[in-house]
Amino acid sequence: MSIRVMLVDDQVLLRTGFRMVLAAQPDMEVVAEAGDGLEALEVLRATKVDVVLMDVRMPRLDGVEATRRICEPAEHPKVIILTTFDLDEYAFSGLKAGASGFMLKDVPPAELLAAIRSVHSGDAVVAPSTTRRLLDRFAPMLPTTAQEPENKEIERLTEREREVMLLVAQGLSNGEIAGRLVLSEATVKTHVGRILTKLGLRDRVQVVVLAYETGLVRAGGGPQL
């Protein structure tokens, strides 16, 4: 069964380019398009979509608010935020609103396709390197100190799970975490799964957001001491 994709961008030429790339894939089809957030919400009421490629800066209703509304229901399409990054200061808000991924608009086609497939299968698509750049960019927007985590569920984590969470929040991949803690990647993956379950989070993107919002990781990427 094909992955049903929706394109949301106020620039027709960009939508055309993305549509051409996706149309060439045997496992994907573009089933809907919209020029802004309001139109996207209207279309989604009548169209079944698996993955939404969402621009941020659009007229009438921007991509952040549109993403928040799309992700409110328990069953909803996955959203990938597409941004120019250096000019767009809403990317962090988009992830917080419920997006499952964050990518640059000039992403190579192969990476975009891989991201769509990953999100559709339930994974997040913020690559560790992109996570680090994102956090470097938006760290000033986040808390730099905290006496106690605001999310009391964090206290349920074991010492090892807390270590893994801090490394995830710093943008390390499972392989990098495994090397740092001298564990197997399978063990790290298990720890990440338990962290998500205990904290009621969807993916490692939300782990990053929570760690910074609660002050577990301070601006600049290091753990809160």
Side-chain angles (χ1 to χ4, degrees):
M1 182 178 294
S2 296
I3 301 173
R4 301 165 63 88
V5 181
M6 180 178 188
L7 307 176
V8 185
D9 197 301
D10 60 335
Q11 297 185 48
V12 177
L13 285 177
L14 277 175
R15 297 205 310 268
T16 300
F18 286 135
R19 188 191 322 119
M20 291 175 62
V21 171
L22 300 182
Q25 304 306 304
D27 62 337
M28 297 182 191
E29 61 175 323
V30 176
V31 297
E33 296 185 31
D36 60 56
L38 279 180
E39 184 181 359
L41 294 173
E42 288 289 338
V43 172
L44 283 172
R45 292 190 181 100
T47 307
K48 177 176 173 53
V49 174
D50 298 313
V51 178
V52 178
L53 298 185
M54 178 73 72
D55 185 23
V56 176
R57 291 183 170 179
M58 296 180 293
R60 298 207 299 168
L61 186 69
D62 65 43
V64 173
E65 181 58 28
T67 295
R68 182 176 294 109
R69 297 186 191 181
I70 290 171
C71 295
E72 282 178 351
E75 297 293 329
H76 59 77
K78 304 291 186 180
V79 178
I80 298 176
I81 294 287
L82 293 176
T83 174
T84 53
F85 188 76
D86 287 335
L87 300 176
D88 195 336
E89 298 186 354
Y90 299 104
F92 179 85
S93 297
L95 295 175
K96 185 178 177 181
S100 295
F102 167 88
M103 303 196 78
L104 304 181
K105 281 190 175 180
D106 61 357
V107 61
E111 290 186 22
L112 176 63
L113 297 172
I116 292 172
R117 293 185 180 105
S118 294
V119 161
H120 183 251
S121 68
D123 293 332
V125 296
V126 181
S129 59
T130 303
T131 301
R132 284 191 282 266
R133 293 200 306 271
L134 176 66
L135 295 179
D136 286 343
R137 173 79 174 175
F138 294 103
M141 299 167 57
L142 302 168
T144 57
T145 60
Q147 296 300 317
E148 293 292 338
E150 294 178 9
N151 188 323
K152 295 299 183 181
E153 294 300 309
I154 292 176
E155 297 175 1
R156 298 177 55 201
L157 300 181
T158 64
E159 182 177 350
R160 177 64 83 187
E161 288 167 352
R162 192 182 178 97
E163 286 181 302
V164 171
M165 179 180 179
L166 289 174
L167 294 176
V168 168
Q170 292 175 59
L172 274 66
S173 66
N174 285 352
E176 292 170 327
I177 294 172
R180 182 77 64 87
L181 299 180
V182 194
L183 300 170
S184 69
E185 284 195 46
T187 299
V188 173
K189 185 175 181 180
T190 297
H191 283 311
V192 172
R194 289 174 178 167
I195 291 167
L196 296 178
T197 299
K198 287 184 178 181
L199 300 182
L201 302 177
R202 183 187 63 246
D203 51 43
R204 62 198 301 131
V205 174
Q206 291 192 335
V207 172
V208 173
V209 172
L210 178 63
Y212 272 76
E213 286 190 324
T214 59
L216 286 176
V217 177
R218 62 172 180 263
Q224 181 66 37
L225 301 176

